[in-house]
Amino acid sequence: MICRVCDSTRLDPVIDLGNQPWCNHFLRKEEIGKEPFYPLRLVHCADCETAQLDFTVSKETMFGDHTYLSGVTQSLSRHFEQLAEEVNQRFFLQQSGKAVLDIGSNDGTQLKHFLKLGWRVLGVESSKGTAQRAIEQGIPTRNVFFNTVTARDLPGPFQLINASGVFFHLEELHSVAEGIRACLAPDGIFLVQFLYMQKIVENGAFDQIYHEHLLYYNLKTLERLLQRHGLTCFDAYLAPIHGGSMMAFVHHQGGPHPSTGREKAILAEEERKGSNHKEWYQQFGRRIARMKNENLDTLGERKSKGKRIYGMGAPVKGNTLLNYFQIGPSIIDCLVEKNELRRGLYSPGMHIPIRMEDEIKDPPDVYYVLAWNFKHEILKNQAFLLSRGVEFLFPVDPDRASS
Ligand SMILES: [Zn+2]
Protein backbone atom coordinates (compact mmCIF):
# COMPACT_ATOMS: atom_id res chain seq x y z
CA MET A 1 0.00 0.00 0.00
CA ILE A 2 1.15 3.53 -0.76
CA CYS A 3 0.03 6.82 0.80
CA ARG A 4 -3.18 8.06 -0.82
CA VAL A 5 -1.86 11.64 -0.86
CA CYS A 6 1.90 11.53 -1.50
CA ASP A 7 2.60 7.95 -2.73
CA SER A 8 5.06 7.27 0.12
CA THR A 9 5.41 3.69 1.36
CA ARG A 10 6.31 4.78 4.88
CA LEU A 11 2.97 4.09 6.56
CA ASP A 12 2.78 3.24 10.25
CA PRO A 13 -0.27 1.53 11.81
CA VAL A 14 -1.69 3.69 14.61
CA ILE A 15 -5.30 2.60 15.35
CA ASP A 16 -6.93 -0.80 14.82
CA LEU A 17 -10.73 -1.01 15.15
CA GLY A 18 -10.86 -4.64 14.04
CA ASN A 19 -12.91 -6.09 11.20
CA GLN A 20 -16.11 -4.16 10.63
CA PRO A 21 -19.04 -4.35 8.23
CA TRP A 22 -19.56 -1.47 5.82
CA CYS A 23 -21.36 0.84 8.21
CA ASN A 24 -23.68 2.62 5.79
CA HIS A 25 -25.64 -0.42 4.74
CA PHE A 26 -28.38 -1.06 7.26
CA LEU A 27 -29.68 -4.58 6.82
CA ARG A 28 -33.03 -6.01 5.83
CA LYS A 29 -34.04 -8.98 7.94
CA GLU A 30 -32.98 -11.50 5.28
CA GLU A 31 -29.52 -9.90 5.01
CA ILE A 32 -28.64 -10.38 8.68
CA GLY A 33 -25.41 -12.34 9.14
CA LYS A 34 -24.57 -12.23 5.43
CA GLU A 35 -22.84 -8.83 5.49
CA PRO A 36 -19.09 -8.87 4.66
CA PHE A 37 -16.52 -7.53 7.14
CA TYR A 38 -13.46 -5.48 6.21
CA PRO A 39 -10.40 -4.34 8.19
CA LEU A 40 -10.80 -0.89 9.75
CA ARG A 41 -7.31 0.35 10.50
CA LEU A 42 -5.79 3.81 10.55
CA VAL A 43 -2.23 4.35 9.36
CA HIS A 44 -0.08 7.48 9.48
CA CYS A 45 2.19 8.59 6.65
CA ALA A 46 5.69 9.44 7.85
CA ASP A 47 6.20 11.74 4.84
CA CYS A 48 3.04 13.84 4.38
CA GLU A 49 1.62 13.05 7.87
CA THR A 50 -1.89 12.28 6.59
CA ALA A 51 -3.88 9.77 8.65
CA GLN A 52 -5.76 7.33 6.41
CA LEU A 53 -7.32 3.90 6.14
CA ASP A 54 -5.14 1.12 4.75
CA PHE A 55 -8.07 -0.74 3.20
CA THR A 56 -10.55 0.49 0.56
CA VAL A 57 -14.07 -0.80 0.17
CA SER A 58 -14.89 -0.11 -3.49
CA LYS A 59 -16.74 3.14 -4.15
CA GLU A 60 -19.52 1.33 -6.00
CA THR A 61 -20.21 -0.66 -2.81
CA MET A 62 -19.99 2.41 -0.64
CA PHE A 63 -21.79 5.11 -2.57
CA GLY A 64 -24.13 3.37 -4.97
CA ASP A 65 -27.13 3.70 -2.69
CA HIS A 66 -26.69 5.21 0.74
CA THR A 67 -29.43 6.19 3.14
CA TYR A 68 -27.94 9.33 4.65
CA LEU A 69 -30.05 12.43 4.09
CA SER A 70 -28.51 15.74 5.02
CA GLY A 71 -31.88 17.51 5.18
CA VAL A 72 -32.94 15.48 8.21
CA THR A 73 -31.47 17.52 11.04
CA GLN A 74 -32.32 21.12 11.80
CA SER A 75 -28.85 22.13 12.90
CA LEU A 76 -27.24 20.83 9.72
CA SER A 77 -29.76 22.62 7.53
CA ARG A 78 -29.19 25.83 9.49
CA HIS A 79 -25.43 25.46 9.11
CA PHE A 80 -25.79 25.13 5.33
CA GLU A 81 -28.06 28.16 5.21
CA GLN A 82 -25.67 30.36 7.19
CA LEU A 83 -22.75 29.20 5.09
CA ALA A 84 -24.50 30.08 1.82
CA GLU A 85 -25.28 33.54 3.16
CA GLU A 86 -21.71 34.02 4.39
CA VAL A 87 -20.14 33.02 1.06
CA ASN A 88 -22.55 35.17 -0.92
CA GLN A 89 -22.03 38.22 1.34
CA ARG A 90 -18.27 38.00 1.69
CA PHE A 91 -17.23 37.21 -1.86
CA PHE A 92 -19.98 37.45 -4.45
CA LEU A 93 -22.46 40.14 -3.44
CA GLN A 94 -21.90 42.34 -6.50
CA GLN A 95 -21.42 39.53 -9.01
CA SER A 96 -24.13 38.53 -11.48
CA GLY A 97 -24.52 35.15 -13.18
CA LYS A 98 -23.11 33.22 -10.22
CA ALA A 99 -22.85 29.44 -10.50
CA VAL A 100 -22.21 26.91 -7.75
CA LEU A 101 -21.30 23.26 -8.07
CA ASP A 102 -21.83 20.98 -5.08
CA ILE A 103 -19.86 17.73 -5.12
CA GLY A 104 -21.64 15.05 -3.10
CA SER A 105 -24.72 17.24 -3.08
CA ASN A 106 -26.85 14.65 -1.24
CA ASP A 107 -30.55 15.68 -1.24
CA GLY A 108 -29.72 19.25 -2.30
CA THR A 109 -29.96 20.79 1.15
CA GLN A 110 -26.88 22.99 0.62
CA LEU A 111 -27.80 24.05 -2.92
CA LYS A 112 -31.36 24.96 -1.95
CA HIS A 113 -29.95 27.87 0.04
CA PHE A 114 -27.84 29.11 -2.89
CA LEU A 115 -30.86 28.86 -5.18
CA LYS A 116 -32.74 31.19 -2.82
CA LEU A 117 -29.89 33.70 -3.12
CA GLY A 118 -30.19 33.75 -6.92
CA TRP A 119 -27.36 31.39 -7.86
CA ARG A 120 -27.42 28.92 -10.72
CA VAL A 121 -26.94 25.58 -8.95
CA LEU A 122 -25.78 22.11 -9.95
CA GLY A 123 -25.28 19.04 -7.79
CA VAL A 124 -23.26 15.89 -8.40
CA GLU A 125 -24.46 12.96 -6.32
CA SER A 126 -23.44 9.32 -6.76
CA SER A 127 -26.35 7.79 -4.85
CA LYS A 128 -29.20 7.26 -7.32
CA GLY A 129 -32.10 7.46 -4.87
CA THR A 130 -30.68 10.54 -3.17
CA ALA A 131 -30.00 12.30 -6.50
CA GLN A 132 -33.59 11.55 -7.57
CA ARG A 133 -34.91 13.06 -4.37
CA ALA A 134 -32.93 16.26 -4.99
CA ILE A 135 -34.23 16.51 -8.58
CA GLU A 136 -37.81 16.09 -7.37
CA GLN A 137 -37.22 19.03 -5.05
CA GLY A 138 -36.11 21.21 -7.97
CA ILE A 139 -32.33 20.92 -7.55
CA PRO A 140 -30.59 20.05 -10.87
CA THR A 141 -28.41 17.04 -10.07
CA ARG A 142 -26.14 14.70 -12.05
CA ASN A 143 -26.09 11.11 -10.82
CA VAL A 144 -22.37 10.40 -11.42
CA PHE A 145 -19.09 10.10 -9.51
CA PHE A 146 -17.17 13.38 -9.78
CA ASN A 147 -13.68 13.05 -11.28
CA THR A 148 -11.53 14.56 -14.05
CA VAL A 149 -13.55 12.80 -16.75
CA THR A 150 -17.09 13.58 -15.55
CA ALA A 151 -15.99 17.16 -14.74
CA ARG A 152 -15.55 17.82 -18.48
CA ASP A 153 -19.28 17.41 -19.09
CA LEU A 154 -20.28 19.99 -16.49
CA PRO A 155 -21.32 23.50 -17.57
CA GLY A 156 -18.46 25.33 -15.81
CA PRO A 157 -16.56 27.33 -14.85
CA PHE A 158 -18.06 27.72 -11.39
CA GLN A 159 -17.55 30.70 -9.10
CA LEU A 160 -18.01 28.36 -6.17
CA ILE A 161 -17.37 24.65 -5.76
CA ASN A 162 -18.53 23.12 -2.51
CA ALA A 163 -17.55 19.75 -1.10
CA SER A 164 -18.86 18.93 2.35
CA GLY A 165 -17.75 15.77 4.10
CA VAL A 166 -17.46 14.00 0.79
CA PHE A 167 -13.95 15.28 0.19
CA PHE A 168 -12.40 12.65 2.35
CA HIS A 169 -14.59 9.83 1.07
CA LEU A 170 -12.87 10.07 -2.23
CA GLU A 171 -11.17 7.05 -3.65
CA GLU A 172 -9.97 8.83 -6.80
CA LEU A 173 -8.46 11.64 -4.81
CA HIS A 174 -6.10 13.17 -7.36
CA SER A 175 -8.56 12.82 -10.22
CA VAL A 176 -11.17 14.66 -8.16
CA ALA A 177 -8.75 17.40 -7.17
CA GLU A 178 -7.76 17.88 -10.82
CA GLY A 179 -11.44 18.02 -11.83
CA ILE A 180 -12.02 20.72 -9.24
CA ARG A 181 -9.05 22.76 -10.45
CA ALA A 182 -10.34 22.50 -14.04
CA CYS A 183 -13.94 23.58 -13.23
CA LEU A 184 -13.08 26.41 -10.85
CA ALA A 185 -13.32 29.95 -12.29
CA PRO A 186 -10.02 31.92 -12.15
CA ASP A 187 -11.38 34.03 -9.25
CA GLY A 188 -13.50 31.15 -7.92
CA ILE A 189 -13.59 29.63 -4.46
CA PHE A 190 -13.46 25.99 -3.54
CA LEU A 191 -15.11 25.52 -0.16
CA VAL A 192 -14.04 22.30 1.57
CA GLN A 193 -16.06 21.30 4.61
CA PHE A 194 -14.43 18.42 6.40
CA LEU A 195 -14.38 16.73 9.76
CA TYR A 196 -11.32 18.16 11.44
CA MET A 197 -9.05 15.35 12.59
CA GLN A 198 -7.52 17.31 15.43
CA LYS A 199 -11.03 17.87 16.79
CA ILE A 200 -12.02 14.23 16.26
CA VAL A 201 -9.09 13.23 18.44
CA GLU A 202 -9.77 15.89 21.07
CA ASN A 203 -13.45 14.83 21.23
CA GLY A 204 -12.52 11.14 21.43
CA ALA A 205 -14.82 10.79 18.41
CA PHE A 206 -13.29 7.63 17.03
CA ASP A 207 -16.71 6.67 15.63
CA GLN A 208 -15.98 9.14 12.83
CA ILE A 209 -13.49 6.56 11.57
CA TYR A 210 -15.27 4.31 9.08
CA HIS A 211 -14.75 2.83 5.66
CA GLU A 212 -16.22 5.77 3.74
CA HIS A 213 -13.74 8.11 5.35
CA LEU A 214 -10.53 7.12 3.63
CA LEU A 215 -8.60 10.21 4.74
CA TYR A 216 -8.51 12.22 7.97
CA TYR A 217 -7.28 15.74 7.40
CA ASN A 218 -5.84 18.45 9.50
CA LEU A 219 -5.37 21.78 7.78
CA LYS A 220 -1.68 21.11 7.19
CA THR A 221 -2.30 17.81 5.45
CA LEU A 222 -5.16 19.24 3.37
CA GLU A 223 -2.91 22.08 2.24
CA ARG A 224 -0.27 19.56 1.12
CA LEU A 225 -2.85 17.90 -1.12
CA LEU A 226 -4.09 21.23 -2.51
CA GLN A 227 -0.55 22.38 -3.27
CA ARG A 228 -0.06 19.32 -5.41
CA HIS A 229 -2.98 20.48 -7.60
CA GLY A 230 -2.23 24.18 -7.94
CA LEU A 231 -4.65 25.20 -5.20
CA THR A 232 -4.15 26.82 -1.81
CA CYS A 233 -6.13 27.74 1.29
CA PHE A 234 -6.54 31.46 2.08
CA ASP A 235 -8.98 31.27 5.00
CA ALA A 236 -10.32 28.65 7.40
CA TYR A 237 -12.35 28.38 10.57
CA LEU A 238 -13.84 25.67 12.73
CA ALA A 239 -17.66 25.35 12.74
CA PRO A 240 -19.47 23.35 15.44
CA ILE A 241 -21.31 21.03 13.02
CA HIS A 242 -20.64 17.27 13.41
CA GLY A 243 -18.69 17.99 16.60
CA GLY A 244 -16.12 20.14 14.79
CA SER A 245 -15.87 20.71 11.04
CA MET A 246 -13.28 22.80 9.27
CA MET A 247 -14.47 25.30 6.68
CA ALA A 248 -11.51 25.81 4.36
CA PHE A 249 -11.67 28.49 1.67
CA VAL A 250 -9.44 27.62 -1.25
CA HIS A 251 -8.50 29.33 -4.52
CA HIS A 252 -6.02 28.86 -7.36
CA GLN A 253 -2.41 29.49 -6.34
CA GLY A 254 -1.84 33.19 -6.96
CA GLY A 255 -5.63 33.69 -6.79
CA PRO A 256 -7.22 37.04 -5.95
CA HIS A 257 -8.29 36.50 -2.35
CA PRO A 258 -6.02 37.90 0.38
CA SER A 259 -5.18 35.61 3.31
CA THR A 260 -7.25 36.34 6.40
CA GLY A 261 -4.53 34.91 8.65
CA ARG A 262 -7.01 32.56 10.30
CA GLU A 263 -5.66 29.58 8.38
CA LYS A 264 -2.13 30.45 9.52
CA ALA A 265 -3.26 30.55 13.15
CA ILE A 266 -4.80 27.09 12.80
CA LEU A 267 -1.63 25.71 11.24
CA ALA A 268 0.39 27.19 14.11
CA GLU A 269 -1.93 25.54 16.63
CA GLU A 270 -1.50 22.15 14.92
CA GLU A 271 2.23 22.63 15.18
CA ARG A 272 2.03 23.54 18.86
CA LYS A 273 -0.17 20.56 19.74
CA GLY A 274 1.73 18.09 17.61
CA SER A 275 -1.52 16.93 16.03
CA ASN A 276 0.17 15.81 12.82
CA HIS A 277 2.60 13.48 14.58
CA LYS A 278 2.34 9.73 14.78
CA GLU A 279 2.52 9.81 18.61
CA TRP A 280 -0.67 11.93 18.74
CA TYR A 281 -2.57 9.14 16.98
CA GLN A 282 -1.02 6.34 19.01
CA GLN A 283 -2.10 8.10 22.17
CA PHE A 284 -5.61 8.38 20.69
CA GLY A 285 -5.61 4.61 20.07
CA ARG A 286 -4.91 3.95 23.75
CA ARG A 287 -7.69 6.32 24.79
CA ILE A 288 -10.21 4.53 22.55
CA ALA A 289 -9.43 1.22 24.27
CA ARG A 290 -10.08 2.87 27.66
CA MET A 291 -13.39 4.31 26.39
CA LYS A 292 -14.54 0.82 25.47
CA ASN A 293 -14.04 -0.46 29.00
CA GLU A 294 -15.70 2.59 30.56
CA ASN A 295 -18.75 2.40 28.28
CA LEU A 296 -19.26 -1.33 28.80
CA ASP A 297 -18.98 -0.85 32.57
CA THR A 298 -21.59 1.92 32.56
CA LEU A 299 -24.07 0.04 30.37
CA GLY A 300 -23.50 -3.21 32.30
CA GLU A 301 -24.23 -1.42 35.55
CA ARG A 302 -27.58 -0.07 34.20
CA LYS A 303 -28.47 -3.51 32.83
CA SER A 304 -27.73 -5.19 36.17
CA LYS A 305 -30.35 -2.88 37.70
CA GLY A 306 -32.88 -4.12 35.15
CA LYS A 307 -33.00 -0.88 33.18
CA ARG A 308 -34.20 -0.77 29.58
CA ILE A 309 -31.70 0.86 27.22
CA TYR A 310 -32.48 2.20 23.73
CA GLY A 311 -30.03 3.75 21.32
CA MET A 312 -30.89 7.27 20.18
CA GLY A 313 -30.29 7.71 16.45
CA ALA A 314 -28.89 5.18 14.00
CA PRO A 315 -26.14 7.30 12.46
CA VAL A 316 -23.63 5.63 10.19
CA LYS A 317 -20.82 6.38 12.64
CA GLY A 318 -22.76 4.64 15.42
CA ASN A 319 -21.96 1.34 13.76
CA THR A 320 -18.21 1.85 14.19
CA LEU A 321 -18.84 2.40 17.87
CA LEU A 322 -21.28 -0.48 18.37
CA ASN A 323 -19.05 -2.93 16.51
CA TYR A 324 -15.84 -1.88 18.24
CA PHE A 325 -17.48 -1.86 21.68
CA GLN A 326 -19.37 -5.07 20.79
CA ILE A 327 -22.71 -3.69 21.91
CA GLY A 328 -25.60 -5.76 20.55
CA PRO A 329 -29.32 -6.35 21.19
CA SER A 330 -28.58 -8.04 24.54
CA ILE A 331 -27.60 -4.57 25.82
CA ILE A 332 -29.55 -2.16 23.61
CA ASP A 333 -33.10 -3.19 22.61
CA CYS A 334 -33.40 -0.94 19.55
CA LEU A 335 -32.09 2.18 17.84
CA VAL A 336 -34.65 4.99 17.65
CA GLU A 337 -34.39 6.91 14.38
CA LYS A 338 -36.35 9.47 12.37
CA ASN A 339 -34.89 8.82 8.90
CA GLU A 340 -37.72 6.99 7.11
CA LEU A 341 -35.27 5.23 4.77
CA ARG A 342 -34.11 3.13 7.72
CA ARG A 343 -37.55 1.95 8.83
CA GLY A 344 -37.59 -1.77 9.66
CA LEU A 345 -33.84 -2.27 9.13
CA TYR A 346 -31.11 -3.63 11.42
CA SER A 347 -27.67 -2.25 12.27
CA PRO A 348 -24.85 -3.96 10.34
CA GLY A 349 -22.62 -6.21 12.41
CA MET A 350 -24.47 -5.98 15.72
CA HIS A 351 -28.00 -6.48 14.29
CA ILE A 352 -29.86 -4.11 16.58
CA PRO A 353 -33.37 -3.40 15.20
CA ILE A 354 -34.27 0.15 14.19
CA ARG A 355 -37.56 1.66 15.29
CA MET A 356 -39.07 4.93 14.13
CA GLU A 357 -39.40 7.74 16.68
CA ASP A 358 -43.21 7.79 16.27
CA GLU A 359 -43.43 4.05 17.10
CA ILE A 360 -42.05 4.58 20.61
CA LYS A 361 -45.02 5.00 22.92
CA ASP A 362 -43.25 4.10 26.16
CA PRO A 363 -39.77 5.60 26.66
CA PRO A 364 -36.89 3.49 28.00
CA ASP A 365 -35.02 4.15 31.27
CA VAL A 366 -31.85 5.06 29.40
CA TYR A 367 -31.09 6.51 25.98
CA TYR A 368 -27.58 5.74 24.72
CA VAL A 369 -27.06 8.62 22.30
CA LEU A 370 -25.23 7.53 19.15
CA ALA A 371 -26.05 10.83 17.42
CA TRP A 372 -23.94 12.56 20.10
CA ASN A 373 -22.92 15.40 17.77
CA PHE A 374 -26.47 16.78 18.06
CA LYS A 375 -26.26 16.73 21.87
CA HIS A 376 -27.67 20.23 22.43
CA GLU A 377 -30.48 19.83 19.91
CA ILE A 378 -31.41 16.46 21.46
CA LEU A 379 -31.38 17.67 25.06
CA LYS A 380 -33.55 20.62 24.08
CA ASN A 381 -36.04 18.48 22.16
CA GLN A 382 -36.16 15.83 24.87
CA ALA A 383 -36.70 18.13 27.85
CA PHE A 384 -39.96 16.32 28.60
CA LEU A 385 -38.27 12.91 28.88
CA LEU A 386 -35.46 14.37 30.95
CA SER A 387 -38.01 15.77 33.38
CA ARG A 388 -39.53 12.28 33.64
CA GLY A 389 -36.17 10.88 34.71
CA VAL A 390 -35.03 9.27 31.45
CA GLU A 391 -31.23 9.15 31.50
CA PHE A 392 -29.25 10.24 28.43
CA LEU A 393 -25.78 8.70 28.11
CA PHE A 394 -23.29 10.13 25.62
CA PRO A 395 -20.58 7.66 24.58
CA VAL A 396 -18.69 10.56 23.05
CA ASP A 397 -19.14 13.94 24.75
CA PRO A 398 -18.00 17.00 22.81
CA ASP A 399 -18.46 19.11 25.96
CA ARG A 400 -15.82 17.12 27.81
CA ALA A 401 -13.18 17.19 25.11
CA SER A 402 -9.53 16.68 25.99
CA SER A 403 -6.49 15.74 24.00
ZN1 LIG B 1 1.86 10.60 2.46
Side-chain angles (χ1 to χ4, degrees):
M1 147 125 205
I2 59 165
C3 173
R4 297 170 190 278
V5 175
C6 78
D7 304 335
S8 166
T9 53
R10 302 202 301 145
L11 298 171
D12 298 306
V14 283
I15 294 169
D16 189 347
L17 297 172
N19 283 335
Q20 298 232 8
W22 175 48
C23 58
N24 204 344
H25 184 70
F26 287 85
L27 308 172
R28 294 189 300 274
K29 195 161 194 169
E30 62 274 19
E31 293 175 308
I32 289 178
K34 293 177 187 151
E35 70 274 31
F37 283 68
Y38 313 96
L40 187 58
R41 282 188 304 255
L42 203 67
V43 296
H44 177 265
C45 175
D47 288 306
C48 75
E49 303 181 299
T50 309
Q52 54 200 286
L53 297 189
D54 69 349
F55 181 87
T56 308
V57 180
S58 79
K59 69 177 191 298
E60 286 76 15
T61 304
M62 290 198 289
F63 308 119
D65 192 19
H66 62 72
T67 55
Y68 171 74
L69 292 178
S70 56
V72 169
T73 63
Q74 294 162 15
S75 50
L76 192 58
S77 186
R78 205 158 47 239
H79 162 76
F80 283 149
E81 182 174 18
Q82 284 166 356
L83 200 61
E85 281 166 6
E86 180 196 334
V87 168
N88 192 53
Q89 282 279 344
R90 278 181 68 188
F91 304 109
F92 299 104
L93 204 52
Q94 305 303 331
Q95 206 158 327
S96 57
K98 300 171 268 200
V100 53
L101 173 70
D102 192 8
I103 301 171
S105 52
N106 203 275
D107 57 1
T109 303
Q110 176 74 84
L111 287 176
K112 196 175 70 188
H113 298 299
F114 281 101
L115 196 62
K116 259 194 311 207
L117 295 168
W119 288 60
R120 180 165 66 81
V121 307
L122 181 63
V124 176
E125 170 55 52
S126 60
S127 169
K128 198 175 169 193
T130 311
Q132 194 53 44
R133 185 180 280 251
I135 291 165
E136 281 161 14
Q137 289 172 17
I139 305 296
T141 304
R142 303 268 176 100
N143 178 218
V144 290
F145 288 101
F146 182 86
N147 55 35
T148 319
V149 177
T150 54
R152 284 188 206 122
D153 295 332
L154 302 177
F158 297 91
Q159 281 67 46
L160 180 71
I161 298 179
N162 179 68
S164 55
V166 70
F167 197 65
F168 57 150
H169 296 182
L170 302 170
E171 193 178 323
E172 304 170 297
L173 186 64
H174 296 295
S175 173
V176 170
E178 265 317 295
I180 288 166
R181 195 189 54 74
C183 287
L184 189 64
D187 61 346
I189 292 174
F190 172 36
L191 173 56
V192 203
Q193 308 183 41
F194 62 102
L195 291 181
Y196 185 41
M197 190 51 175
Q198 180 176 291
K199 200 70 188 170
I200 288 177
V201 174
E202 288 177 341
N203 282 345
F206 76 93
D207 55 351
Q208 307 275 21
I209 301 172
Y210 49 84
H211 293 116
E212 286 182 36
H213 295 167
L214 297 172
L215 292 141
Y216 299 83
Y217 293 107
N218 278 344
L219 198 57
K220 183 181 180 185
T221 46
L222 178 78
E223 179 66 16
R224 278 219 176 91
L225 170 68
L226 295 170
Q227 290 281 342
R228 203 174 147 160
H229 295 281
L231 300 164
T232 189
C233 176
F234 65 89
D235 183 29
Y237 67 88
L238 196 63
I241 205 75
H242 295 310
S245 297
M246 189 60 74
M247 305 292 118
F249 295 80
V250 172
H251 62 174
H252 292 286
Q253 279 170 22
H257 304 285
S259 159
T260 64
R262 290 196 290 188
E263 79 290 359
K264 294 195 179 83
I266 291 165
L267 291 170
E269 187 188 287
E270 289 179 6
E271 199 59 39
R272 200 172 65 245
K273 289 183 169 170
S275 63
N276 290 304
H277 298 163
K278 182 172 84 175
E279 292 71 26
W280 168 273
Y281 293 97
Q282 287 171 325
Q283 194 185 2
F284 183 37
R286 290 191 291 274
R287 183 172 165 211
I288 294 167
R290 280 200 306 278
M291 285 170 71
K292 175 176 181 170
N293 293 332
E294 288 162 10
N295 271 264
L296 290 176
D297 285 352
T298 305
L299 292 171
E301 195 267 338
R302 304 297 188 277
K303 267 323 238 198
S304 71
K305 288 183 178 156
K307 296 199 168 174
R308 241 170 353 120
I309 309 172
Y310 290 1
M312 176 159 282
V316 171
K317 64 180 172 352
N319 291 320
T320 295
L321 187 140
L322 294 170
N323 281 286
Y324 177 68
F325 285 176
Q326 288 289 295
I327 296 172
S330 65
I331 301 174
I332 290 182
D333 297 358
C334 63
L335 304 176
V336 181
E337 170 67 46
K338 47 184 169 185
N339 179 346
E340 272 297 325
L341 295 178
R342 296 193 181 141
R343 183 184 282 275
L345 302 179
Y346 295 79
S347 75
M350 298 316 296
H351 308 153
I352 302 173
I354 291 173
R355 291 175 66 189
M356 288 295 114
E357 205 171 40
D358 55 22
E359 294 178 273
I360 307 297
K361 303 294 172 231
D362 194 20
D365 303 300
V366 179
Y367 265 120
Y368 189 62
V369 185
L370 295 169
W372 56 263
N373 47 308
F374 297 110
K375 180 178 178 181
H376 299 286
E377 186 173 333
I378 287 168
L379 290 180
K380 205 173 83 189
N381 293 344
Q382 305 294 342
F384 175 68
L385 290 182
L386 278 165
S387 73
R388 283 182 56 186
V390 175
E391 184 182 16
F392 286 76
L393 292 176
F394 293 85
V396 174
D397 191 343
D399 293 339
R400 282 186 310 172
S402 70
S403 51

